[in-house]
Amino acid sequence: MTGWPKRVPGLCWGADYNPEQWPEQVWAQDLALMREAGVNLVSVGIFSWALLEVEEGRYEFGWLDRVLDLLHEGGIRVDLATATASPPPWLTHRYPEVLPVREDGVRFSHGSRQEYCPNSPVYREKSVALAEKLALRYAEHPALAAWHVNNEYGCHVRRCYCQRCAEAFREWLKARYSKDLAALNEAWGTAFWSQHYSDWALVQPPRVTPTYGNPGQLLDFDRFGSDTLLELFVAERDVLRAITPDVPVTTNFMAGWTFGALDYWSWAREVDFVSNDHYTRAEDEQRHVELALSADLVRGLAGGKPWLLMEHSTSAVNWQPRNRAKQPGELARNSLSHVARGADGTLFFQWRASRAGAERYHSAMLPHAGSDTRVFREVCELGAAYRRCAELVGSTVDAQAALVFDFQAGWAAEQPAHPTQDFRYHEAVLGVYRALWQAGITVDVVPPSADLGRYPLVVVPALYLVSDENARSFDQYVAAGGHLLMTWFSGITDEHARVRLGGYPGAFADLLGVRVEEFYPLGAGERVRLSNGATADTWTELLHPEGAEAVASHVDGPLPGVPAITRNEHGSGLAWYVATTLDPDSMLGLVREVAERAGARPVVRAPAGVEVVRRTGEGPRGPISWLVVVNHTGAEVVLPVRGIELAAGSDVPGCLAVPAGGTAVVREV
Ligand code: GAL
């Protein structure tokens, strides 16, 4: 792996830069203002295909040459896009089969972006050709720091259901089931509803059907959908690597609440460094907590190594129901939360707010109102702070626990015709994560196959689907003395989404010391009370302890007297199970207790709403550590910290005051 874009000095700081949207006389002003803001990296050309290949095979690189030269003169590095994210009108007009098809058979029209089918040979050929042209032309350009392939794969077109994709799906299935059709029939349970396949040619993508589709087919189509887009990335990456082996290649993921259609655990293996786009949900008062989950997940995808926040917003976006501007200081809090959790730089979408096009109401580093604005002032301030925090680059994050996250389990758990329609994987994960965040415990987000041995505590929210092998490793972890906290809808199926028999939670029944007979999901708005004073919603289940001890039982609701929280001694460890959705305070109480017993403690005890994360690295004179503090509250907080605050360059003699809504980065001494 080529690794990090080392040509960028310090923490990366900048934005998507789309100069083609503006007359050239604006570019000089852009440069002057970028320098004022301390920008050192911009992503260029993401949506430029139509202006780079103006007709089939006729390329016009002159404008891009000038942009790159100008940026270089200004000392700004470039994350150069392959420009393949939005095919030009000539392409879809001449080759309409490039356009992807929805599950109801409707073919998309041109006029937006991402209008390509992942299995279109024409799209593949033309996109790889463009990437090659760009690589050949700019291989030696001194501004080139990294390659940005395509953009947010799958964001708008998660799956394509066209005939070509059907053929590719069949080939993918043949490989998965070793050309054994009987194995596919067995895995998908096709004896049900007369779905038995007697020929590979009969297998189709899960298009619109009279009622529920086959769960195995749906799940495999999700896996195929992720893999088939990944092939597109790999095709472009390989041509770039062949021409510029020293320039790292990335593509921007969307790990967070908005998107879950790709299995980023497998994608992460293919990029030279991980980059992510994250946008907060304006109406969520706890949006910084979801942001932290996303950042921890991205660090997990990066294998603990530094990663790049490729996009977020300085202020409002344009695609939520109501797009409110951010609060003063929120831009810095958001940025530093990502840095706290391992990002070695944060960029925005985008540099200059567009005057035309679908995203003209999206914020930018330079707003419509110009540079005499709060946003631009905050941008300049944070840019200056980043310069003073450059020593963080390359350091890693200290975590006290692991949280298991699995995209495929999420796909399977959210399928239709399940016990409740109220289950959302991301919400289930966030429910536990929020409590960990509030308890000040930093987690490494890991896949179900991870080696868990070094964590005192492992949290497993709703791991609905799990292989025997992965299930065994949780068992071994606890037996060897680990502490594990699991929540409902775990262990229910094997990797084909077939229910495990003998009582839920199937794969984990022995580990948890419980057996569940039936599910009793709660109605909309229905709440139940537990014997420990907690309240809960969404879910209850008829659970019998089989070795486990009841920590709290239902007081009312459909299952009075039935345990809802249990604890099981397993080998020399402890396995906790939460068989309902606890209210946030009760979940926090439980997580505190579980963490205390496991010996997982926050790096600094901070008041509620204050985020403190430690990064560690090697300095010239030995190990070195930093605390990144983000105060999300409306009051000043004082923390027992000693060191040097880098942004202000001030001494922290033993207590650190962080103003309401403020941030601090302290090198500890
Ligand atoms: C991202 C995308 C950008 C821009 C941004 C707006 O999903 O990569 O191009 O559309 O959202 O929030």
Side-chain angles (χ1 to χ4, degrees):
M1 229 166 73
T2 314
W4 190 250
K6 291 193 201 70
R7 282 188 181 173
V8 187
L11 293 166
C12 299
W13 172 244
D16 283 12
Y17 180 38
N18 298 307
E20 68 273 31
Q21 295 177 11
W22 299 93
E24 285 203 27
Q25 32 314 1
V26 175
W27 299 356
Q29 190 202 25
D30 283 337
L31 251 290
L33 290 171
M34 280 184 195
R35 287 176 67 79
E36 193 178 329
V39 167
N40 60 15
L41 180 68
V42 290
S43 300
V44 176
I46 297 175
F47 299 104
S48 304
W49 192 341
L51 293 177
L52 290 173
E53 188 176 1
V54 290
E55 289 172 15
E56 187 167 6
R58 188 160 77 77
Y59 296 93
E60 282 188 3
F61 290 117
W63 69 267
L64 189 55
D65 293 351
R66 293 194 291 284
V67 169
L68 262 58
D69 291 350
L70 196 68
L71 287 164
H72 174 60
E73 282 159 31
I76 293 168
R77 300 287 192 235
V78 174
D79 168 47
L80 187 57
T82 56
T84 52
S86 196
W90 61 256
L91 195 147
T92 50
H93 180 74
R94 184 166 306 160
Y95 307 100
E97 72 275 16
V98 164
L99 293 165
V101 172
R102 296 196 318 203
E103 66 193 307
D104 60 359
V106 171
R107 197 176 278 280
F108 284 105
S109 302
H110 199 101
S112 175
R113 64 176 175 183
Q114 212 168 76
E115 298 109 334
Y116 58 82
C117 154
N119 285 293
S120 153
V122 173
Y123 174 76
R124 275 199 196 197
E125 181 202 317
K126 303 279 177 212
S127 54
V128 170
L130 180 58
E132 184 173 24
K133 286 267 178 223
L134 286 159
L136 288 170
R137 188 168 189 96
Y138 298 109
E140 301 302 326
H141 200 287
L144 179 64
W147 289 110
H148 180 301
V149 174
N150 205 289
N151 192 66
E152 293 186 342
Y153 281 100
C155 167
H156 308 299
V157 184
R158 294 170 181 229
R159 313 277 179 248
C160 170
Y161 296 79
C162 76
Q163 227 18 65
R164 264 184 327 258
C165 284
E167 282 155 29
F169 182 41
R170 286 191 281 271
E171 290 311 308
W172 184 93
L173 289 168
K174 282 183 199 164
R176 180 171 176 81
Y177 294 101
S178 313
K179 299 208 171 132
D180 180 357
L181 194 53
L184 176 140
N185 278 306
E186 180 59 26
W188 288 10
T190 55
F192 184 79
W193 279 355
S194 183
Q195 291 170 353
H196 181 83
Y197 293 104
S198 52
D199 191 323
W200 286 101
L202 304 175
V203 183
Q204 299 292 338
R207 299 193 178 108
V208 172
T209 46
T211 183
Y212 308 120
N214 176 297
Q217 180 193 18
L218 289 168
L219 180 59
D220 274 346
F221 195 66
D222 278 330
R223 290 172 170 142
F224 159 77
S226 177
D227 287 357
T228 203
L229 280 168
L230 182 55
E231 277 174 28
L232 278 186
F233 166 77
V234 167
E236 285 198 38
R237 181 205 63 192
D238 285 352
V239 79
L240 298 170
R241 273 192 185 164
I243 299 166
T244 55
D246 298 329
V247 181
V249 183
T250 193
T251 184
N252 44 346
F253 296 172
M254 300 172 67
W257 66 281
T258 51
F259 186 75
L262 300 183
D263 185 348
Y264 286 132
W265 292 120
S266 52
W267 281 69
R269 289 194 287 269
E270 303 295 341
V271 295
D272 289 331
F273 66 98
V274 168
S275 63
N276 195 55
D277 297 350
H278 183 269
Y279 291 90
T280 52
R281 192 160 68 89
E283 288 182 54
D284 176 5
E285 292 197 347
Q286 298 278 305
R287 51 192 176 271
H288 49 277
V289 179
E290 193 284 324
L291 180 156
L293 167 59
S294 160
D296 285 339
L297 170 57
V298 180
R299 185 179 72 259
L301 294 169
K305 297 203 198 82
W307 56 277
L308 177 65
L309 184 74
M310 187 65 88
E311 291 181 22
H312 69 152
S313 66
T314 56
S315 193
V317 299
N318 67 305
W319 44 265
Q320 294 178 19
R322 285 160 290 276
N323 296 299
R324 180 178 290 192
K326 286 190 178 174
Q327 295 294 321
E330 195 169 345
L331 171 169
R333 290 194 294 280
N334 290 171
S335 305
L336 279 165
S337 288
H338 287 291
V339 170
R341 292 168 194 279
D344 270 3
T346 59
L347 314 188
F348 295 102
F349 175 83
Q350 60 178 330
W351 162 252
R352 184 185 276 274
S354 303
R355 75 185 310 182
E359 295 184 325
R360 63 207 191 289
Y361 292 112
H362 198 290
S363 62
M365 290 176 96
L366 186 61
H368 287 147
S371 57
D372 183 14
T373 47
R374 175 172 66 77
V375 164
F376 192 70
R377 279 188 288 277
E378 288 192 11
V379 158
C380 292
E381 237 174 73
L382 188 58
Y386 269 31
R387 279 200 296 283
R388 294 191 285 263
C389 294
E391 63 187 60
L392 285 178
V393 170
S395 60
T396 53
V397 171
D398 261 15
Q400 298 86 48
L403 181 144
V404 175
F405 188 96
D406 187 32
F407 298 94
Q408 298 196 12
W411 299 339
E414 290 188 9
Q415 287 189 346
H418 271 197
T420 177
Q421 62 169 19
D422 298 328
F423 177 85
R424 292 288 170 281
Y425 182 58
H426 195 265
E427 285 303 311
V429 175
L430 192 54
V432 195
Y433 181 87
R434 189 180 295 117
L436 289 157
W437 189 94
Q438 286 166 340
I441 292 168
T442 305
V443 296
D444 280 343
V445 179
V446 300
S449 57
D451 177 4
L452 304 168
R454 68 194 171 96
Y455 297 103
L457 171 65
V458 172
V459 176
V460 188
L463 189 62
Y464 171 78
L465 166 148
V466 66
S467 67
D468 290 350
E469 192 188 343
N470 287 341
R472 259 196 309 276
S473 82
F474 292 106
D475 212 280
Q476 285 158 0
Y477 164 74
V478 178
H483 288 234
L484 180 133
L485 173 67
M486 186 172 274
T487 66
W488 62 271
F489 230 32
S490 288
I492 308 285
T493 78
D494 65 12
E495 63 270 40
H496 301 298
R498 292 177 306 197
V499 173
R500 291 172 178 278
L501 305 180
Y504 320 114
F508 301 120
D510 287 347
L511 166 62
L512 299 169
V514 302
R515 190 168 61 89
V516 173
E517 259 184 77
E518 287 198 278
F519 302 139
Y520 289 76
L522 299 175
E526 187 178 356
R527 300 194 75 78
V528 292
R529 287 180 301 131
L530 307 190
S531 54
N532 64 351
T535 59
D537 57 46
T538 311
W539 187 261
T540 61
E541 54 189 35
L542 180 53
L543 177 151
H544 305 284
E546 293 198 343
E549 137 194 23
V551 175
S553 300
H554 290 282
V555 170
D556 54 14
L559 298 168
V562 170
I565 305 174
T566 60
R567 181 169 60 210
N568 190 39
E569 284 178 17
H570 184 78
S572 33
L574 207 52
W576 301 70
Y577 181 52
V578 186
T580 185
T581 299
L582 295 177
D583 67 83
D585 285 346
S586 306
M587 186 53 115
L588 175 57
L590 179 68
V591 160
R592 282 210 166 109
E593 186 185 344
V594 172
E596 192 57 41
R597 284 192 180 223
R601 303 204 172 83
V603 285
V604 170
R605 294 219 179 262
V610 179
E611 193 175 347
V612 186
V613 181
R614 177 174 282 140
R615 287 183 62 153
T616 53
E618 276 301 315
R621 281 180 294 279
I624 179 164
S625 67
W626 300 265
L627 290 178
V628 183
V629 184
V630 185
N631 180 359
H632 298 279
T633 76
E636 181 187 88
V637 294
V638 178
L639 302 174
V641 173
R642 185 179 301 278
I644 295 165
E645 204 290 317
L646 298 178
S650 53
D651 250 16
V652 181
C655 72
L656 171 75
V658 185
T663 58
V665 181
V666 178
R667 187 200 307 136
E668 295 180 287
V669 289

